[in-house]
Amino acid sequence: HLRNPDVQIQCCGLMKSLSIESVEAKKRIVLNGAPKRIATAMMTYRSHAGVQRQGLEVLRSLACGGPACQKELAHAGAVERIINAMNSHRENSEVLHQALAALGNLIFRSHTVKKRFLLAGGLDNILQAMETLQADVAVQGLGIWALNNLIADSARG
């Protein structure tokens, strides 16, 4: 049902609901191919804010599954999907809120994902979101949090 954005929204919502159960649930979802399916839906419906928001919400949750989940999500293109969502929906606070939250979780303590994000030019996207939605407290807070996660542990190597 890739041709129907409403079905994609519902599928992402279901994956998010299932992933909330536990870290083990997140790992099972990731290992069963969800990252590629989410990336495909987000690529197919780049201009659909609802698909982007739901896709980002499930990425946000799955990225809390630990290093193996973060690695698999990055391998499936989660970093690029987050950046694309931020570029395509620069003034949509709901999309940017979820993008920054997903990003913050994805880069947390993962030097490999941080490097991939920086090489993709993602730092500018965080700053652009914060600049565009200066009055949005959630975007500002999540932007600061994502920046903090980006620089955290850098002194340790």
Side-chain angles (χ1 to χ4, degrees), residues 57-80:
E57 284 185 28
V58 72
L59 291 176
R60 174 186 185 177
S61 179
L62 295 175
C64 292
C69 288
Q70 290 170 308
K71 181 180 177 183
E72 190 60 35
L73 288 166
H75 180 71
V79 169
E80 293 78 11

Side-chain angles (χ1 to χ4, degrees), residues 96-123:
L96 292 176
H97 179 267
Q98 293 303 324
L100 290 166
L103 174 63
N105 288 346
L106 190 60
I107 63 176
F108 184 70
R109 294 188 179 164
S110 175
H111 295 290
T112 304
V113 180
K114 289 177 187 183
K115 183 176 179 180
R116 186 173 184 146
F117 176 74
L118 291 171
L119 289 173
L123 178 59

Side-chain angles (χ1 to χ4, degrees), residues 42 52-53 56-57 59-60 81-87 92-106 117 126 129 142 145-146:
M42 292 179 74
Q52 297 302 307
R53 184 177 46 78
L56 291 163
E57 284 185 28
L59 291 176
R60 174 186 185 177
R81 299 293 66 78
I82 292 168
I83 291 172
N84 286 340
M86 294 176 81
N87 284 332
N92 185 314
S93 63
E94 291 179 6
V95 171
L96 292 176
H97 179 267
Q98 293 303 324
L100 290 166
L103 174 63
N105 288 346
L106 190 60
F117 176 74
I126 296 174
L142 286 165
W145 177 68

Side-chain angles (χ1 to χ4, degrees), residues 11-22 24-26 28-29 61-62:
C11 288
C12 286
L14 176 62
M15 281 189 273
K16 182 186 77 170
S17 295
L18 293 170
S19 72
I20 292 172
E21 185 180 311
S22 67
E24 287 306 313
K26 290 172 180 41
R28 281 193 310 270
I29 291 167
S61 179
L62 295 175

